[in-house]
Amino acid sequence: MIYTSAILLSLIGYFVIGHLAGRRVKHLDDYLVAGRNAPTFLILGTLVASYLSTSAFLGETGFAYQGYPFVMLIFAAISTSGCLLGALAFGRYLRRSGALTVPEFFGKRFASKRVQRIAGLTTVLGLGAYLLGVMQGAGIMFEELTGMPYWVGLVLVWLTYTGFILYSGSPGVMLTDTIMFVIFSVAALGGSLYIIHDLGGWHGVVEGLLSQGDKPGIALWHGVLEGEDATFSTPGEALTWGLTLGLVWAAVLAASPWQSSRYLMARNEHVVMRSAMLTAVSLAVFYALMMMTGAAINLYDPTLNGERAMVWAALNVLPAWLGVVILTGVFAAGLSSCSTFLSIIGFSISNDILPANRSEASAMRASRLAVLGAGLAALILALFQPPAVMAVVWFAATLFASSWGPVALMSIWSRRITAAGAGWGLTVGFVGNLILSLMVQAEWIALPTYLHPVLLSTLMALVAIAVASSLTRVSQAERDYRAFLHRTDEHEPSGWAAGSRSIAVFTMLAGVGVGAFLWRQYADTLAGLAGRFGIPESAVTGAYALAVGCGAMLVIAGAVGYRVVRSRHQDARQSSAASA
C-alpha cells in the first residue's frame, strides 16, 4: 500500500508542478524553448533526466546483474564523453542559432525546408519508438509496485505527463525533469550505498561475486564468458562491444534531439558548456555505483529477471522508506523521459513538418494538438506492443547516432556539405540503420560485434553526404549562415568565463576522484584476492586500466572544456578591442 500511495502522490505532484510552471507561458518562445533563459542547474537536470530513463535503471542495471557490470562501465566512460563533444562541437552553436527546434536549425543552416522536414520526420519516428520503450518501463514499474494492471499504469502515466505538457510546454518539462533528477539521484546514491554496505562494502561484494558459481567471471572486467546465456565469448569481444557502443552513445549524447534540444533553452553558451561538463560527472558517478549494485544483487538471488532486479531489491532488501525513495526515483526517471520525448515529438510535428502557422496563437494551438495526437498514438502502441524496454530504447537511440550525428557535426565544421548532402545523410543513416537492425533482429543476417548496424549505417550516411554534396553546390545563404554561427560574441560578460573555468576544474578533479575510487575499491580489492581465486594477471591489469580509463575521460573532458572556455574568452576580448 505504501508503494501505491507514493507512486500516485508523485503523479499528482508532477502534474501540479507542471501546471504551475505553465503560468509563465505567454508566447511561443516560452512554450517551445522556455524563453531561452534557463540556468545551469535546470539544464543539468533536464539533460540527465532525459538520458537516464527506466532503461538505465531497469535495462542497463539488469545487464550488469546478468554478468557485465564493468563492461557497462567501459561503455559509460566512452559514452559520457559525448556530453562535452555535443556541447562544444554542436550545442553552443545550436544555442547561437536561435532556432525553436533542432530540425529548424538544420533548415536554417542549409536554407532548406526540405531538410527541416526530413529531420522532423526522423525525430517523430525515432523518438516515437523511444517513447514507447520508456512508457512500457513506467508501466512495468507501476504494475510491480501497485499490483494494478499494466494498462492502468500506462494510462495514468500518459495522463500525467501529457496533461502538464499540453499546458506548460518546455518550462513544465524542464522543471519536473530537474525535480525528478534530484529524486532519482538521491535514490540511486542511497540504494547503492545501502546494498553495497549490507554486503560488506566493495571488498565484500567483489569477494562474494568471485565466490559464487552461478555467473563465473562477473567480478572481472570482461564479465561472464561461459554458459549458454553468456553475451560474449572472449574478453576481446566484450571490450569491442563496450568501446563500439560507447562511441555510438557518445554520438547520441552529442547530437540526438532529446539531448541537443535542451541547449536551446539555456541562458547562454556558458550555461551549455557548464551543464554538459556537470552532466558527464553525474553520469560517471551514477554508472560507477549502479552497475556494481546491479551485479551485487546476485548475492541475494541470482535467478531474477534482469530488468526487474532493481525493483526486487527495493522491495525485498532495502528498508521500506528507502525502497519508496528509490522506486519513486526509478518511476520519476521514466516519467521524465516520457515528458521530454513527447514534447519534442509534438513540437517537431507542429514546427517542422506541418505548414507554418500564420500567428503565434495558432502555432501554440497546433503544438498542443500535435502533442495530444502523438501521445495518444504512443499510448495505443504501448498497450498492444509486448514490453522490451532496453531493446526498444537502445534500438531507437542508435537511429540518431547514424543519421543525426554526421549531419550535426558537419553542419558546423564542414564548408562542403550542402542541403542535398544533409538531406540524404539524414535519410540514408536513419533508413539504413533501421533496415540493418531489423534484419539482425529477424536473424536474416549475423554481424560481428565490431560491425554493429549503427557503424555500417553511419558509413553509408557519410558516403551519401559526400556523393550528394559533390553533385551540388553550397549556396551563398548556407555560407553566410555558417559564418554567422562561428562569429564571436564580443559583449560576453567576463564573469561567465570565470565560472565556466571553475566548473572545468571541478570536472577534472571529479575524474581524479572517480579513477582513485575505482582503483582502490575495485582494482586493489581484485588484486588482493587474485591468488586465492586464481584470477589471471591480465584480469587484474584490466581492472587497473578500467579505473584509469574511467577517471581519465572526465579529466580530458574538463581539460578540453577549460581550454575552449579560455580560448573563447580571449577571442571575445580581442574582438571587443578591435571594434573599439
Side-chain angles (χ1 to χ4, degrees):
M1 182 62 184
I2 186 173
Y3 298 105
T4 303
S5 300
I7 292 298
L8 293 177
L9 286 174
S10 68
L11 288 173
I12 295 171
Y14 294 134
F15 185 83
V16 171
I17 292 168
H19 271 260
L20 290 175
R23 295 182 177 180
R24 298 182 178 182
V25 175
K26 305 297 182 184
H27 306 286
L28 184 64
D29 205 51
D30 299 326
Y31 189 73
L32 296 184
V33 290
R36 305 186 199 278
N37 197 37
T40 300
F41 185 66
L42 290 182
I43 298 298
L44 165 66
T46 192
L47 279 171
V48 178
S50 298
Y51 182 73
L52 293 180
S53 64
T54 47
S55 173
F57 281 95
L58 303 182
E60 293 171 24
T61 304
F63 192 58
Y65 171 84
Q66 290 167 2
Y68 306 98
F70 301 107
V71 176
M72 284 302 302
L73 278 185
I74 295 172
F75 158 84
I78 303 298
S79 64
T80 52
S81 66
C83 299
L84 193 65
L85 171 66
L88 298 181
F90 182 58
R92 59 193 179 117
Y93 299 97
L94 178 64
R95 170 63 180 80
R96 197 175 298 179
S97 73
L100 293 174
T101 63
V102 186
E104 182 182 312
F105 163 78
F106 289 138
K108 287 184 172 183
R109 166 62 180 86
F110 297 105
S112 170
K113 188 67 177 178
R114 174 177 170 272
V115 172
Q116 181 176 347
R117 285 202 174 100
I118 291 173
L121 284 171
T122 58
T123 298
V124 172
L125 295 175
L127 282 192
Y130 208 137
L131 176 60
L132 176 63
V134 294
M135 278 185 67
Q136 290 176 331
I140 291 171
M141 283 289 301
F142 189 90
E143 182 182 22
E144 291 275 351
L145 299 180
T146 67
M148 296 183 187
Y150 169 72
W151 70 268
V152 173
L154 282 178
V155 172
L156 288 177
V157 167
W158 177 81
L159 284 172
T160 301
Y161 70 78
T162 303
F164 69 71
I165 292 173
L166 284 174
Y167 178 57
S168 61
S170 288
V173 171
M174 183 172 60
L175 182 58
T176 53
D177 269 2
T178 303
I179 294 171
M180 294 172 192
F181 157 69
V182 172
I183 292 174
F184 63 64
S185 296
V186 171
L189 181 64
S192 296
L193 294 180
Y194 182 92
I195 289 174
I196 292 173
H197 180 267
D198 186 52
L199 293 169
W202 274 66
H203 185 280
V205 172
V206 173
E207 184 176 6
L209 292 175
L210 289 171
S211 301
Q212 57 81 43
D214 295 283
K215 298 172 183 176
I218 187 174
L220 306 184
W221 69 266
H222 50 65
V224 178
L225 302 177
E226 302 174 6
E228 59 181 20
D229 294 329
T231 303
F232 312 113
S233 58
T234 66
E237 188 178 354
L239 178 61
T240 300
W241 184 93
L243 295 176
T244 301
L245 269 295
L247 289 172
V248 169
W249 277 84
V252 170
L253 277 166
S256 63
W258 66 93
Q259 293 294 122
S260 58
S261 64
R262 308 298 88 185
Y263 299 133
L264 292 170
M265 299 184 284
R267 181 171 294 166
N268 56 41
E269 293 173 34
H270 279 284
V271 168
V272 170
M273 292 184 281
R274 293 178 186 183
S275 60
M277 288 186 281
L278 292 175
T279 297
V281 173
S282 300
L283 292 178
V285 173
F286 170 86
Y287 276 98
L289 289 175
M290 289 300 294
M291 296 307 105
M292 193 60 178
T293 302
I297 297 173
N298 280 282
L299 301 181
Y300 295 109
D301 188 342
T303 63
L304 302 171
N305 178 304
E307 290 196 342
R308 287 170 167 78
M310 201 66 208
V311 177
W312 180 90
L315 293 173
N316 296 279
V317 176
L318 301 178
W321 68 269
L322 186 53
V324 168
V325 172
I326 197 167
L327 291 176
T328 305
V330 175
F331 192 73
L335 196 62
S336 69
S337 296
C338 288
S339 63
T340 297
F341 300 149
L342 180 58
S343 64
I344 295 172
I345 291 170
F347 298 164
S348 200
I349 291 173
S350 62
N351 191 70
D352 306 315
I353 299 175
L354 298 177
N357 292 278
R358 295 182 178 180
S359 67
E360 189 173 90
S362 62
M364 289 183 66
R365 183 166 56 251
S367 293
R368 288 181 167 127
L369 289 174
V371 166
L372 180 60
L376 280 170
L379 175 62
I380 293 170
L381 288 173
L383 287 170
F384 294 101
Q385 171 70 28
V389 180
M390 185 172 176
V392 172
V393 167
W394 276 48
F395 163 68
T398 58
L399 293 173
F400 293 101
S402 56
S403 59
W404 283 47
V407 174
L409 295 178
M410 292 180 74
S411 69
I412 304 298
W413 301 105
S414 173
R415 293 185 175 90
R416 298 181 179 179
I417 184 173
T418 65
W424 280 107
L426 290 169
T427 304
V428 171
F430 190 91
V431 175
N433 193 338
L434 177 64
I435 293 173
L436 285 172
S437 297
L438 292 177
M439 290 174 70
V440 170
Q441 187 175 5
E443 298 183 351
W444 292 350
I445 60 172
L447 297 174
T449 304
Y450 57 85
L451 283 182
H452 192 280
V454 70
L455 297 181
L456 293 175
S457 53
T458 299
L459 180 60
M460 293 162 57
L462 289 171
V463 171
I465 291 171
V467 171
S469 296
S470 67
L471 297 175
T472 52
R473 291 187 177 183
V474 178
S475 68
Q476 188 60 46
E478 292 172 85
R479 291 194 185 92
D480 292 344
Y481 199 83
R482 184 180 176 278
F484 156 71
L485 291 175
H486 285 273
R487 288 175 190 162
T488 301
D489 182 6
E490 60 187 55
H491 303 295
E492 177 186 277
S494 59
W496 284 102
S500 298
R501 287 195 294 267
S502 299
I503 297 295
V505 172
F506 170 77
T507 302
M508 289 186 277
L509 293 176
V512 173
V514 168
F517 178 81
L518 290 173
W519 182 288
R520 179 72 181 90
Q521 298 296 332
Y522 172 55
D524 279 354
T525 300
L526 194 66
L529 296 169
R532 178 180 164 190
F533 290 96
I535 301 171
E537 185 179 346
S538 60
V540 175
T541 303
Y544 282 112
L546 175 75
V548 172
C550 289
M553 292 305 295
L554 284 180
V555 173
I556 293 171
V560 171
Y562 188 95
R563 182 179 178 84
V564 169
V565 170
R566 185 179 65 177
S567 175
R568 184 178 184 279
H569 184 56
Q570 290 175 345
D571 289 345
R573 292 178 62 182
Q574 291 173 0
S575 178
S576 179
S579 63

